[in-house]
Amino acid sequence: MKLISVVVPCYNEQEVLPLFYDEIIKVSNAMKQEHPDIDFEFLFINDGSKDRTLEIFRELADKDERVRYISFSRNFGKEAGMYAGLKNAKGDFVVVMDADLQHPPAFLPQMYNYVKDGEFDCATTRRVSRTGESKIRSFFARMFYKIMNKISQTEIVDGAQDFRFMSRQMVDAVLAMSEYNRFSKGIFSWVGFRVQYMPYENVERLAGTTSWSFWGLFKYSLEGIMAFSTAPLSFSIFFAIFGALLSVLFAIAGIVTMFFMPALGAALLVIGALLLVGAFQLGCTGILGMYLGKTYMEVKNRPIYLTGETDEMYRERRKNADK
């Protein structure tokens, strides 16, 4: 039997979880009828949800022994949720997908067909439209991919999603990159392997609300840039060149002005010099500080996540309570 692990990171998904479970069960049962040699496990990750998400996990674990879950001690973020799922998945193949049904389970049979014979190591969806997104958000998303692919040696496909069906070999490669500051889109691209991209029309959430705000996505994009590009380090050189050129211009303007208005010319020279030196130092210090902060988090070697409860702990507790 070949085991397929379905990893589902969740944060406040009480409204959509029952709908997702019904849909994934329907698709998995159809796949088992077509491929009798496969089986499934469903590994849910509770990323510190404040609603009934954990309670629903327990209910699902009670009625379906294939359901497993890990509940974090607090919110660690989706990246930690995906890492925990990949690390604890037992399958020969591993699927990462969201519970909001924006990653349609109906894609799984086709994904499996691409990966099962070893022709591809990964099958993933690639959005060809951004239906339902605001124009501003779509604009900045496209700009991020353009900038990222200009300044990074790792190509990140525009529209590629975290919805992935992967071989065990690729999963192990992703897990080998155990850095604390994770940017999975970059990691999936960096490890390489043979990837099949499937075109996909974006759909809106079936229920609930997204936890990704514009500011959250902006910070996430910065994580990607800092994790997979050293180009910002060279900005200090450009700042220095630009500052030197401006200093020359200010010096010329100040010298010329001093022939007519000596006081103003001297003031322009002093103020311009101070502003340029201050801006230059601030820019360089800020860039170095961001990289130093990343290094600081890495060398502290903190765990990527902490477990508060698992399905095994819950079942054991129920078993002891029934005695």
Side-chain angles (χ1 to χ4, degrees):
M1 297 291 290
K2 295 180 180 178
L3 181 63
I4 299 175
S5 298
V6 180
V7 174
V8 189
C10 298
Y11 178 69
N12 293 340
E13 299 287 6
Q14 65 176 14
E15 296 179 25
V16 78
L17 267 174
L19 302 175
F20 171 82
Y21 177 76
D22 291 342
E23 186 66 20
I24 195 68
I25 292 300
K26 181 173 68 175
V27 171
S28 62
N29 287 341
M31 289 180 65
K32 283 176 63 66
Q33 288 182 353
E34 184 178 354
H35 305 281
D37 62 331
I38 65 174
D39 204 352
F40 283 84
E41 70 166 0
F42 308 105
L43 178 55
F44 294 93
I45 310 297
N46 178 33
D47 185 22
S49 299
K50 295 177 172 54
D51 60 1
R52 294 188 63 255
T53 295
L54 179 56
E55 295 176 34
I56 295 174
F57 288 173
R58 294 167 178 167
E59 294 169 2
L60 295 177
D62 282 336
K63 70 177 183 180
D64 189 343
E65 63 180 9
R66 297 173 301 174
V67 171
R68 301 170 55 214
Y69 68 83
I70 297 173
S71 182
F72 290 170
S73 60
R74 62 168 177 83
N75 178 256
F76 283 89
K78 185 181 178 181
E79 288 290 343
M82 287 194 291
Y83 178 82
L86 294 176
K87 185 177 182 180
N88 290 275
K90 301 176 181 178
D92 303 287
F93 305 98
V94 181
V95 182
V96 177
M97 62 190 307
D98 293 342
D100 57 14
L101 293 176
Q102 287 186 296
H103 296 165
F107 276 85
L108 293 182
Q110 187 178 356
M111 288 177 155
Y112 177 66
N113 288 333
Y114 280 126
V115 179
K116 67 183 177 70
D117 295 326
E119 181 181 1
F120 294 97
D121 297 286
C122 174
T124 182
T125 54
R126 176 180 178 270
R127 288 195 295 187
V128 294
S129 73
R130 292 184 176 271
T131 304
E133 278 191 357
S134 67
K135 292 183 179 180
I136 294 178
R137 184 163 171 171
S138 296
F139 170 77
F140 278 104
R142 291 192 175 95
M143 286 301 297
F144 164 74
Y145 285 109
K146 288 181 180 179
I147 294 172
M148 191 68 185
N149 287 323
K150 287 287 186 182
I151 66 176
S152 173
Q153 294 181 347
T154 301
E155 181 183 4
I156 301 178
V157 177
D158 186 359
Q161 297 185 301
D162 294 328
F163 182 21
R164 291 175 179 261
F165 195 115
M166 295 176 284
S167 66
R168 170 50 62 178
Q169 182 182 13
M170 182 169 176
V171 171
D172 290 341
V174 171
L175 290 174
M177 299 179 67
S178 58
E179 60 252 39
Y180 180 85
N181 297 287
R182 303 186 67 78
F183 181 69
S184 287
K185 282 183 172 62
I187 292 174
F188 289 143
S189 296
W190 190 90
V191 298
F193 295 98
R194 295 158 296 180
V195 180
Q196 175 64 39
Y197 290 97
M198 302 165 57
Y200 161 68
E201 294 286 342
N202 190 47
V203 296
E204 298 186 33
R205 289 178 63 98
L206 197 61
T209 57
T210 180
S211 59
W212 284 100
S213 63
F214 180 83
W215 178 243
L217 288 171
F218 176 72
K219 291 193 295 182
Y220 186 60
S221 68
L222 290 181
E223 288 286 339
I225 291 173
M226 302 304 292
F228 283 89
S229 174
T230 57
L233 285 174
S234 63
F235 287 172
S236 58
I237 299 174
F238 294 114
F239 287 152
I241 295 173
F242 183 67
L245 292 175
L246 279 180
S247 297
V248 172
L249 292 177
F250 267 86
I252 294 173
I255 292 171
V256 171
T257 306
M258 288 182 71
F259 286 104
F260 307 97
M261 303 175 66
L264 178 60
L268 285 175
L269 285 173
V270 173
I271 294 173
L274 289 175
L275 287 174
L276 286 174
V277 170
F280 171 73
Q281 290 178 334
L282 183 62
C284 293
T285 302
I287 292 172
L288 293 175
M290 292 177 71
Y291 277 94
L292 181 60
K294 297 291 181 184
T295 305
Y296 174 64
M297 294 303 296
E298 291 292 342
V299 299
K300 284 166 60 165
N301 199 28
R302 285 179 175 173
I304 296 173
Y305 67 94
L306 295 173
T307 300
E309 179 179 314
T310 67
D311 60 293
E312 294 178 352
M313 294 165 63
Y314 170 68
R315 289 187 171 109
E316 184 67 23
R317 190 166 66 243
R318 287 288 303 273
K319 184 176 173 182
N320 293 333
D322 292 338
K323 289 182 180 179

